[in-house]
Amino acid sequence: DDVEPELALGPAENALSSNGNKEVNAAAKKQASKRAKQKEKSKHKRIKAEAKHKELLCSRTMAALRPLDPQVCVALGFGELSILSNEENLSQQLSQVKCIQVGGPVTTLLLSLLENTLSNLLADNRVASFKARIGKIQNNDSSLEEESDNPYKVERSTDNPTSIFELSLASCDSSSRKCFDMLDLYLRCGVFASLFEHLAAITELRCGANRQANAEEESDLLRIARVILSCVRTLIGSTQLTRSRTGKLFLSSILSQLAEGDRNDHSFSKPPCSEKIKKMLSNLFDLVQEVLVGADTVDMDFVMDGIFCLDAIYKCSCRIDNSVTTAVECDGIPKKLSDISRRFLSQHWPEDTKLNTKNVGKLLTQVLEHSISPISSDIKAAMRTE
């Protein structure tokens, strides 16, 4: 009788206790999930900070080194850096080779140097120090030669101009002459033919039988392709190569290497032919198009580099048309450019892709400017336009 009976919990109390446990468990899981996310976020921040630190160290190291001479770019035409060592049909070899090596530290460095050199040579706002350095090189400045024994120096005498090239060059101003002298050096060493071979190899590795499945290798290919596309865009987009007879001589020879891989045709023996230039521009457009759309990609930066390059080729065709009395057919370049832009506009992009006027706006502009079908002013009708 003295023992107190245990209190029995009723259904309401049991339910309340069960709900309390669930709430505690849910709160604990929420806190654990929150801590895990914070840990993951902190890890990404550390990785990003470490990568930024390494990049800064690398840039500081490169800045401390003596800049490479622009003439070093001629090494891109050397057989040791060629995609393939022999001179057989390139496309046939690429389809048969199982392991093609594109890039590498030396080639990547030289391509970046070529990109900067062409940009400074052909841009309207050339860097004064760069022009001064080129001037010293071309004028055989003794102090510069004493500082550096340049193994890439190629001498060319113009004392007695007899060829079409030399006669045309003699009428150019000093700034343009220095630019053309450097381009002449690159042409004689096959630098632009090397760019063609690298683009052809990248196309084979991305789109052909030797297509790379490794994401890291794909990223490396796109990085090299972006540098080459920038070089092509700078060359073809330069009005200096279309506004004079001398410029067109160089444009024709550059396209012979860049669009066809011809290392042997650099004689300047014939005046430039507008029809031939337009044909080579069309071939170059097709090559860049194949690199760009031959395989799926979610790299918006690579896509836009390709679009800007294709647009530069189209505008160069238009400048050639404006310089002759009879317009030459563009081989359907406007429609191709519109279709490519429409394709990327319709593509599903990852959520972390930044879409803005520089990419989506440019793509939309290409579609609207080069669309074969007229765009109606009515919004509903325009949305139904193919």
Side-chain angles (χ1 to χ4, degrees), residues 216-275:
E216 183 177 352
E217 292 176 347
E218 169 76 3
S219 178
D220 291 339
L221 287 176
L222 295 186
R223 178 169 50 82
I224 297 171
R226 289 186 62 190
V227 178
I228 298 176
L229 291 176
S230 177
C231 293
V232 174
R233 178 186 174 187
T234 301
L235 283 166
I236 305 303
S238 172
T239 57
Q240 194 167 353
L241 298 182
T242 53
R243 67 187 177 200
S244 66
R245 185 184 184 188
T246 305
K248 290 178 184 177
L249 278 170
F250 276 94
L251 178 62
S252 179
S253 293
I254 289 172
L255 285 173
S256 181
Q257 292 192 12
L258 198 57
E260 300 175 352
D262 188 357
R263 292 176 177 264
N264 303 317
D265 185 17
H266 177 52
S267 57
F268 291 114
S269 58
K270 298 179 181 179
C273 174
S274 296
E275 288 78 6

Side-chain angles (χ1 to χ4, degrees), residues 87-108:
E87 299 182 357
E88 298 177 5
N89 183 269
L90 177 66
S91 59
Q92 182 179 359
Q93 290 186 78
L94 289 174
S95 62
Q96 295 176 352
V97 174
K98 295 183 179 179
C99 183
I100 305 173
Q101 296 295 332
V102 176
V106 176
T107 300
T108 302

Side-chain angles (χ1 to χ4, degrees), residues 101-279:
Q101 296 295 332
V102 176
V106 176
T107 300
T108 302
L109 176 65
L110 292 175
L111 287 174
S112 298
L113 177 62
L114 179 64
E115 178 186 18
N116 294 330
T117 302
L118 292 176
S119 178
N120 287 316
L121 273 176
L122 300 172
D124 293 333
N125 51 346
R126 299 189 187 97
V127 182
S129 61
F130 184 87
K131 290 199 298 180
R133 181 172 177 78
I134 294 296
K136 287 183 179 181
I137 294 172
Q138 300 300 335
N139 293 329
N140 299 325
D141 187 277
S142 58
S143 62
L144 183 62
E145 292 296 333
E146 290 175 359
E147 293 176 0
S148 171
D149 182 15
N150 187 357
Y152 306 101
K153 180 73 175 174
V154 179
E155 301 291 346
R156 178 175 57 81
S157 174
T158 56
D159 295 335
N160 299 310
T162 55
S163 67
I164 294 176
F165 163 66
E166 291 172 345
L167 290 171
S168 299
L169 198 61
S171 62
C172 295
D173 57 83
S174 59
S175 177
S176 297
R177 191 178 299 116
K178 294 168 187 175
C179 171
F180 290 140
D181 278 340
M182 183 63 72
L183 292 178
D184 179 53
L185 172 63
Y186 290 164
L187 281 166
R188 284 183 286 126
C189 294
V191 172
F192 303 121
S194 176
L195 296 185
F196 166 81
E197 293 171 2
H198 277 82
L199 274 181
I202 291 172
T203 302
E204 177 65 25
L205 291 174
R206 294 195 68 239
C207 320
N210 298 315
R211 180 175 180 178
Q212 301 287 349
N214 189 304
E216 183 177 352
E217 292 176 347
E218 169 76 3
S219 178
D220 291 339
L221 287 176
L222 295 186
R223 178 169 50 82
I224 297 171
R226 289 186 62 190
V227 178
I228 298 176
L229 291 176
S230 177
C231 293
V232 174
R233 178 186 174 187
T234 301
L235 283 166
I236 305 303
S238 172
T239 57
Q240 194 167 353
L241 298 182
T242 53
R243 67 187 177 200
S244 66
R245 185 184 184 188
T246 305
K248 290 178 184 177
L249 278 170
F250 276 94
L251 178 62
S252 179
S253 293
I254 289 172
L255 285 173
S256 181
Q257 292 192 12
L258 198 57
E260 300 175 352
D262 188 357
R263 292 176 177 264
N264 303 317
D265 185 17
H266 177 52
S267 57
F268 291 114
S269 58
K270 298 179 181 179
C273 174
S274 296
E275 288 78 6
K276 182 179 179 181
I277 291 177
K278 290 294 292 286
K279 179 61 178 175

Side-chain angles (χ1 to χ4, degrees), residues 247-360:
K248 290 178 184 177
L249 278 170
F250 276 94
L251 178 62
S252 179
S253 293
I254 289 172
L255 285 173
S256 181
Q257 292 192 12
L258 198 57
E260 300 175 352
D262 188 357
R263 292 176 177 264
N264 303 317
D265 185 17
H266 177 52
S267 57
F268 291 114
S269 58
K270 298 179 181 179
C273 174
S274 296
E275 288 78 6
K276 182 179 179 181
I277 291 177
K278 290 294 292 286
K279 179 61 178 175
M280 290 189 292
L281 283 171
S282 179
N283 293 339
L284 180 60
F285 187 98
D286 292 340
L287 176 60
V288 175
Q289 176 184 1
E290 190 174 2
V291 173
L292 187 60
V293 302
D296 295 333
T297 180
V298 292
D299 189 332
M300 178 62 83
D301 293 332
F302 166 69
V303 168
M304 294 314 301
D305 284 343
I307 291 295
F308 280 116
C309 184
L310 294 175
D311 187 43
I313 296 173
Y314 168 69
K315 290 178 179 177
C316 184
S317 297
C318 294
R319 292 198 300 273
I320 296 297
D321 274 342
N322 294 334
S323 65
V324 295
T325 55
T326 304
V328 187
E329 180 61 36
C330 288
D331 290 332
I333 286 181
K335 185 178 185 305
K336 292 178 183 178
L337 186 53
S338 176
D339 291 342
I340 295 170
S341 300
R342 186 189 300 272
R343 167 177 173 168
F344 288 118
L345 274 177
S346 305
Q347 179 173 317
H348 175 72
W349 295 95
E351 294 182 0
D352 59 346
T353 303
K354 294 182 179 180
L355 304 178
N356 48 49
T357 55
K358 293 182 179 180
N359 44 51
V360 174

